[in-house]
Amino acid sequence: MKKQILVSGLSLLVGMGMATTASAFTFDFHGTMWQTLGATDNNAALQSKLKSGKTNYFGYRNTDDALQLNVKGAEKKGYYDVMGDGTSVDFGLTKARLRFEGKTDDGRAKFVYGLEVGTVNWGDKDKGFGLSGDGITQETRFAYAQIQVPGMDQNHYLRAGLQPTKINHWVWTETAAGLTYHGKANDAKWMAGWYRGDEDRAGNSSDNDYFILKGSTKITSDFKMGLFGVYVDAGEESTYGVTEGFAPGTEDLYDDETYYLGLTGQLNGPVFGSFDLIYQGGDIEFDKDELRDLDHSAYLGNLTVGYKFDDSFKLYANFLYVSGDDDYTDSDADNFNSIDVDVKVGIILTKDSLLGDCDRFVTDSPYIMDQGLINYSLTGEYQLNPENHFRAAVRYLQLAESYALGDDEIGTELDFWYKYKYNKNVSLRFEAAYLMADDALSFEESGDDMYTVAAGIQFKF
């Protein structure tokens, strides 16, 4: 993350805004801020989170004594030991985003630049939230240009630079730098694009490329279907061992080519729902001849079905299955890997919460390492009046495979959300969750129960 002084970034935006007043531009600002107070007994896991954009999991075993579980960019040795460690903490958190948009007077071109102060714990002196402040926590979130395709109407445009991806909730939603084309006609929308992935080499020459095709259309007035495909040539990566690794003290190089094929659907009306069916294929090829190559063969299925009783109350059920790896001794990598996402499967593990908004989560992906995930949940939402909204859920969680852990039952989770609309720009939120943990969260015995409580202010304009 590039760090700059926040005042400098704001000064740049103000200067840009002043300059545009004398030219053929219109401009505006958008922003979101979170201020959160909370408590949990799962702090160790929240701090050492499993982040989809920085990890690529696969298991490999040649003998009973040589196990490699790859974790791209960070070693998570003993991760399960910190889940529900029983250490209770309370905290204050701050996160803020600003986005500037400048548009030409003919509406055919747009400039977008976004800033973010990533979540900082109150009192963190290293990031400027200690006594006297003076933080250096700013990062660039967006930096892209958008222009209308020459000779076509405003429904056809190109984007270049650091931009949102929004390919699929389970595969890729976070920002990336690239060139994309977006089109729309009648009830159909589509996009195609190329993004460049993480580059560690000088000269931008490691061919870390992502190619995208996506489209959707309305089948009826209430039902929409979509298709997408993603091809990833990740270039050369290095393995990181959770246990001994392939060769003590060394890293083994591999090339990872992956593709995703997805079918999605969404139904609106009194009976509503959505589904995602996704297949991940491809292969992992090691530089060393003595290491066998692996084949990606993974699945994700997601189904939500619900009923709106009236404008104030709805009830819906969800089933999510994300495949895991059931055997490290074969040549198949059966576990699903996301590219970079922010999934919402409850409060305790994922990002469906204030803490998730503030980057405190166990995993932002729909799996636990290479063991996948299964979710059964029932959720109710009640809009008491325009100001008060309630949501509650009960869910049962388990791993799709328990090959590496011995047990697959994570436990039963109770979630509660409350939002009060203070005015059109400000919401007050309160959330709480409790996980009655089972054996999958500990190697030796049933895992400890976990709780999370948080309250905060969300300011959006």
Side-chain angles (χ1 to χ4, degrees), residues 16 29 43 47 49 51 67 69 75 77 88-89 94 155 206-207 223-224 226 265 342 346 363 366 369 418-419:
M16 290 164 55
F29 290 97
N43 188 59
Q47 295 294 329
K49 48 187 173 284
K51 190 157 176 53
L67 168 66
L69 183 61
E75 190 170 313
K77 187 173 184 178
S88 296
V89 297
T94 291
N155 291 319
S206 68
D207 297 327
F223 182 57
K224 180 174 71 174
D342 296 301
T363 175
M369 299 181 77
Y418 167 68
K419 180 186 289 188

Side-chain angles (χ1 to χ4, degrees), residues 59 293-297 325-328 330-335:
D293 297 332
L294 303 176
D295 295 322
H296 286 295
S297 183
D325 198 351
D326 62 350
D327 188 353
Y328 293 167
D330 63 17
S331 297
D332 294 323
D334 299 317
N335 57 294

